[in-house]
Amino acid sequence: MGSITSGTKRYRQINWAFFCAGFVTFITLYDVQPLLPVFTREFGVSAAFASLPLSVTTCALAVSMLFAGTISETLGRKAVMVASLVTTSVLALITSQTANLEQLVVVRFLQGIALAGLPAVAMAYLSEEIAPSSLTSAIGLYISGNAIGGMTGRIFTAVMSEQTSWRAALEVIGVVCLVLSLYFAKTLPPSENLKKRPFAVRYLFSSLLRQLKDPGLLCLYGISFLIMGSFVTLYNYITFRLLGAPYHLSAWLVSLIFLVYMLGSFSSSMIGGQVERFGRGRMLFLTIGTMVFGAAVTTSRDVGSIVTGIAIFTCGFFGAHTIASSWVGSRAKTARAQAASLYLFFYYLGSSVSGTVGGVFWVSHGWGGVVLLILGLLLLALALWKLLTSCAAECPARNAVASLDAMRS
C-alpha cells in the first residue's frame, strides 16, 4: 500500500498529472458522441450504425485493458501510460483525416487499443502509491479530470462541427492532447512500490481468474457494466431526441447539456468525504438510486426538466463510479492492476453493448424505450449492490472466526 497522503506536494503533483491524463482519455474517447446525428446524415446510416465509432472504441478498450495491467508490471506503470497517451493523441490527429465511416471505425478501433494503457494502470498506480486514507479522494480527482475531458470534447466537437467541420474539431483535440500527454510524461513520478515481474501469459490469466473468484469483486464488476451502460445510453440518444421534433434545437445548443459534467466532476471529487462519513455501501445505494430518479425525470416533455434529470443522473453516476472503482482497489489484495483491468473491462463493455442496443430501443420505442432500458439496467445494479453488501458483511465475520480458530490451535 502507498504512503502518499493528501495535502503533500507529491500528492498534488500526482493529482495534477492524472487530472491531465483523465482529460486526454475522455476527450478523445467521447469527442465523437455528439456527432452521431452528423454521422447518420453524412454517411447515410441508422442511429445504431452511427454509434459504432464510439462503441468499437470502448469495446477495443475493454478487451485491451485485460492485458495492459500485466504489461505495465513488466515495462513499468509510467512507461505504459505515457505510451498510451501519446499514441492516442496521434491517432486523434489521424481520425480527423478519415474519408468515410469505415476508415473512421478502423482508426477509432486502434484508438481504443491505445487508450487501454491508461485507465487500468492509473488505478493500479494510485492504489500502490497513495495512502488508503487518501485513495478515494485521489481517484475522485482523477475521475473529475475524466468528467471535464468528456464534457469539453462533447461541447467542442458539437460547436465546431456546426461552425466548420467535425474533422477540424478532432484535429484541434489531437494537438491539445499531445501537449497534455507530454506534460504528464514530464511531471508524473515513477512508481516506487511496484515490483516488476517478467511478462508471462500464464500469470496474466491466473491473476485475472483469481479476481473472478471473489464474489464481492464480481458484484462490483457487474455494477460497473450496468451503470456505465446506462450512462452512455442516455447521452448517446438524448441528442437525437432534442434535435428532433418537437424541440428542433440546434447542435451547439444541445451540446450545452454536457455542461452538467461539471456537476459530475464535483460529485466525484466530494464523494470521498461522504464515504468516510456514511460508508461505501450506503453511498453506493444512494448514488445508484439518484441515477434512477434522474432517468425518470428525463421522461418529461419540458426541456428544463429534461436537463435537470440529466444533471441528477450524471451526479449519481460519477459518485457511483468513484465509490465502486475505489472499492475494487481496496478489496483486491493481490494483482491490483488485473482487478482494476477487469473492473474497467466490464465498465467499457457495458458502454459498447448498451450504447448500441440503445439505438434499437430508440428506433423502436423512442425516448420512453431508451429510459426503460436504462431503468432495467439500474435495477439490476441495485440487486448486485444488495449481494455486494452481503459479501462485505460476511468477510469480516469470516476473518474473525479464522483468527479465533488460530488462537485456539
Side-chain angles (χ1 to χ4, degrees):
M1 300 297 289
S3 59
I4 300 173
T5 57
S6 58
T8 62
K9 180 180 179 180
R10 198 171 182 84
Y11 179 86
R12 290 191 295 270
Q13 186 179 12
I14 290 172
N15 275 333
W16 273 112
F18 275 104
F19 181 89
C20 292
F23 183 92
V24 170
T25 301
F26 270 66
I27 195 174
T28 53
L29 183 59
Y30 289 111
D31 53 9
V32 299
Q33 192 172 45
L35 301 176
L36 304 190
V38 177
F39 295 156
T40 61
R41 295 194 304 269
E42 182 167 331
F43 301 125
V45 296
S46 67
F49 276 101
S51 70
L52 288 179
L54 178 58
S55 295
V56 298
T57 308
T58 53
C59 185
L61 173 61
V63 175
S64 301
M65 279 191 302
L66 296 177
F67 303 92
T70 301
I71 292 173
S72 73
E73 293 182 351
T74 301
L75 302 179
R77 305 287 196 215
K78 181 176 178 179
V80 170
M81 289 188 288
V82 169
S84 169
L85 292 174
V86 173
T87 304
T88 296
S89 302
V90 172
L91 286 171
L93 292 169
I94 297 174
T95 301
S96 67
Q97 305 303 314
T98 54
N100 52 53
L101 182 62
E102 290 77 11
Q103 290 181 12
L104 179 60
V105 168
V106 169
V107 178
R108 290 282 298 177
F109 176 80
L110 296 175
Q111 201 169 22
I113 296 174
L115 276 168
L118 190 282
V121 180
M123 292 173 65
Y125 178 101
L126 291 170
S127 297
E128 291 164 352
E129 306 301 322
I130 303 296
S133 60
S134 303
L135 181 59
T136 300
S137 297
I139 290 180
L141 289 170
Y142 161 61
I143 292 176
S144 72
N146 296 351
I148 294 174
M151 176 195 72
T152 303
R154 288 166 167 97
I155 294 176
F156 181 75
T157 53
V159 174
M160 280 281 288
S161 66
E162 196 167 75
Q163 300 300 319
T164 57
S165 72
W166 61 268
R167 291 181 176 85
L170 298 185
E171 187 173 7
V172 172
I173 287 173
V175 172
V176 171
C177 288
L178 188 57
V179 172
L180 292 177
S181 299
L182 296 176
Y183 170 81
F184 176 86
K186 181 180 179 181
T187 59
L188 183 72
S191 300
E192 292 186 351
N193 297 317
L194 170 66
K195 296 179 180 179
K196 290 187 178 181
R197 66 174 71 238
F199 181 79
V201 175
R202 182 178 179 181
Y203 168 73
L204 168 64
F205 289 102
S206 64
S207 59
L208 291 173
L209 182 61
R210 190 179 307 121
Q211 309 304 332
L212 292 173
K213 291 180 179 179
D214 184 332
L217 288 176
L218 283 175
C219 290
L220 288 167
Y221 297 153
I223 289 171
S224 72
F225 178 95
L226 296 165
I227 63 173
M228 183 56 167
S230 63
F231 180 74
V232 169
T233 300
L234 183 139
Y235 274 96
N236 270 6
Y237 301 103
I238 193 63
T239 52
F240 285 93
R241 184 188 186 194
L242 295 178
L243 288 171
Y247 308 103
H248 297 295
L249 300 180
S250 64
W252 75 267
L253 192 58
V254 171
S255 72
L256 296 181
I257 289 175
F258 297 113
L259 287 172
V260 300
Y261 262 57
M262 293 299 294
L263 295 176
S265 174
F266 175 79
S267 173
S268 62
S269 0
M270 297 297 293
I271 200 70
Q274 302 307 311
V275 167
E276 292 177 5
R277 183 177 179 184
F278 297 107
R280 284 194 182 108
R282 290 181 181 177
M283 290 306 300
L284 185 57
F285 173 81
L286 178 62
T287 50
I288 297 174
T290 300
M291 293 178 70
V292 171
F293 177 68
V297 172
T298 65
T299 58
S300 169
R301 293 181 63 85
D302 176 67
V303 174
S305 298
I306 293 171
V307 174
T308 300
I310 294 171
I312 294 170
F313 181 90
T314 302
C315 287
F317 166 75
F318 279 102
H321 175 40
T322 300
I323 296 167
S325 58
S326 64
W327 202 334
V328 169
S330 61
R331 187 176 180 93
K333 303 306 179 185
T334 60
R336 288 191 175 88
Q338 287 72 26
S341 295
L342 279 168
Y343 174 85
L344 292 170
F345 167 77
F346 286 101
Y347 180 82
Y348 289 112
L349 187 64
S351 171
S352 299
V353 174
S354 183
T356 299
V357 171
V360 177
F361 278 76
W362 166 255
V363 172
S364 302
H365 305 290
W367 186 249
V370 172
V371 172
L372 187 64
L373 171 62
I374 291 171
L375 293 178
L377 295 173
L378 294 176
L379 289 176
L380 288 174
L382 288 174
L384 288 178
W385 165 83
K386 182 65 176 177
L387 292 174
L388 173 63
T389 52
S390 298
C391 292
E394 288 175 4
C395 285
R398 289 177 181 174
N399 292 338
V401 170
S403 298
L404 288 173
D405 289 342
M407 291 173 63
R408 289 168 182 166
S409 60

